[in-house]
Amino acid sequence: MLRFRAAGSTSTTFKDSVIISGSSGVNFDTSTFYPTKGAWTQYEVVVTGYTKDSQITFKGSRVFLDDILITEIPTITLRETATDDNTITYNVSGLRTVQLKRTLGAGYWNTLCLPFNVTKTMLEQAFGSDANPVINTLASVDNGVFNFTTAESVPAGTPFLLKVSTPVTDPTFTEVTITQATPLTVYPNNDGYGFAGTYSEHSLEIDGTNLFLGTDGNLYKPAGGENVMNGLRAYFIVPSGNQVRVAADESGNELGIESVTANTQEHIIYNMMGQSRQSGNLTRGIYIINGKKTIVR
């Protein structure tokens, strides 16, 4: 990363410019700049191929230069179990290497929300060649059905669904620009249905208006005492008392009501005596959770 300040002269009516060049093998993402007359402007340039023996040359007329510095691109870490909003805000507009402390499971839909623009190519580079990432973004909500469609890119701060073929742990994105300090909520219509992103841990409402996507493809209402969702994710917003379903499409076609892959459910729990139990108050034993036998140790 090359950083410098430049200012144009006030003694001429010509448009001042600075051109940077490097020795063999050194490349810049931008090489020509037009500083403001009579005012300092801070510039950041991505440099590749630079070594300790490389040379960088500045060429210009009627310009002033100051604070020239070559550094590595700063690395920041965003954790799913922490509140990183301040970290994101501080680094807005800066070029960064971003490491996620987040695991993405294979073979099912994960929710994700990131403060920089995302493309399928970026995901392939960060996840590895075997991950085969599939992006789905919210296209519409019709009669309580959230319709998603396959996408090649996602704007910064926009929540989306992501499926990978192999598990992904703590991926790193290089040379990204953080542009969205606040996660966004997508409201396709004006009917109260939405898909909300979150960068940090978030407490979901337990009245059925906030739902999270389970690994089995079902939407769940969080139980009392278990309603904190980790960050770098997204949740569904629905009007009170409404049943909703999700349609996610891997081939690029929006799916309708007949192809629904998820239904709204609550955790239904019974002990072996057939007595109903709350998920936040389970002791050791065998339980029937949503119709499946589960051992709590």
Side-chain angles (χ1 to χ4, degrees):
M1 174 74 75
L2 169 64
R3 291 186 173 90
F4 65 93
R5 293 197 306 158
S9 172
T10 59
S11 61
T12 177
T13 59
F14 293 100
K15 190 174 185 180
D16 305 321
S17 65
V18 175
I19 300 175
I20 56 175
S21 59
S23 52
S24 178
V26 179
N27 297 290
F28 310 92
D29 67 337
T30 306
S31 59
T32 303
F33 305 87
Y34 300 96
T36 303
K37 292 182 181 295
W40 289 105
T41 301
Q42 181 73 42
Y43 294 98
E44 291 187 350
V45 184
V46 177
V47 183
T48 56
Y50 182 86
T51 69
K52 62 182 181 63
D53 297 320
S54 299
Q55 293 183 348
I56 294 178
T57 302
F58 290 80
K59 182 179 180 180
S61 59
R62 300 176 298 276
V63 295
F64 300 91
L65 297 175
D66 196 8
D67 296 337
I68 301 173
L69 183 67
I70 288 280
T71 64
E72 293 184 0
I73 296 176
T75 297
I76 64 172
T77 301
L78 302 180
R79 299 172 176 84
E80 64 178 345
T81 56
T83 301
D84 287 321
D85 291 354
N86 290 337
T87 299
I88 293 171
T89 301
Y90 179 79
N91 287 281
V92 164
S93 299
L95 190 69
R96 300 291 184 263
T97 293
V98 179
Q99 182 181 29
L100 303 185
K101 288 296 183 179
R102 164 84 203 270
T103 297
L104 300 168
Y108 58 82
W109 292 107
N110 301 265
T111 62
L112 191 60
C113 185
L114 300 172
F116 49 86
N117 294 333
V118 175
T119 67
K120 184 175 181 179
T121 299
M122 289 171 56
L123 296 178
E124 292 170 341
Q125 294 172 345
F127 295 169
S129 58
D130 296 333
N132 300 314
V134 178
I135 299 172
N136 267 223
T137 54
L138 182 59
S140 63
V141 180
D142 301 311
N143 298 318
V145 178
F146 285 79
N147 295 302
F148 286 80
T149 188
T150 303
E152 293 294 316
S153 62
V154 184
T158 304
F160 61 100
L161 299 181
L162 177 66
K163 184 182 286 187
V164 290
S165 299
T166 57
V168 176
T169 302
D170 301 341
T172 297
F173 296 84
T174 58
E175 298 181 10
V176 299
T177 301
I178 294 177
T179 58
Q180 185 61 44
T182 305
L184 304 176
T185 300
V186 179
Y187 288 106
N189 311 315
N190 294 320
D191 53 5
Y193 290 92
F195 190 41
T198 179
Y199 296 151
S200 302
E201 291 184 327
H202 182 78
S203 295
L204 302 179
E205 299 293 339
I206 62 174
D207 60 0
T209 59
N210 290 175
L211 306 173
F212 66 91
L213 184 63
T215 59
D216 59 358
N218 291 312
L219 287 176
Y220 289 99
K221 182 176 79 172
E226 296 183 351
N227 62 320
V228 178
M229 184 179 69
N230 285 344
L232 306 174
R233 285 171 168 77
Y235 60 95
F236 294 82
I237 299 174
V238 301
S240 180
N242 285 267
Q243 296 292 309
V244 299
R245 292 179 282 185
V246 176
D249 181 15
E250 298 182 40
S251 61
N253 300 311
E254 294 185 20
L255 302 183
I257 195 85
E258 290 82 16
S259 302
V260 168
T261 60
N263 298 301
T264 305
Q265 297 183 6
E266 295 186 38
H267 290 296
I268 304 173
I269 304 173
Y270 295 94
N271 62 17
M272 298 306 292
M273 301 287 292
Q275 298 168 316
S276 177
R277 289 289 183 263
Q278 294 292 324
S279 60
N281 188 30
L282 298 180
T283 58
R284 292 182 179 181
I286 301 176
Y287 297 86
I288 305 299
I289 302 179
N290 294 329
K292 297 181 181 180
K293 184 181 292 186
T294 303
I295 300 176
V296 176
R297 301 183 185 278

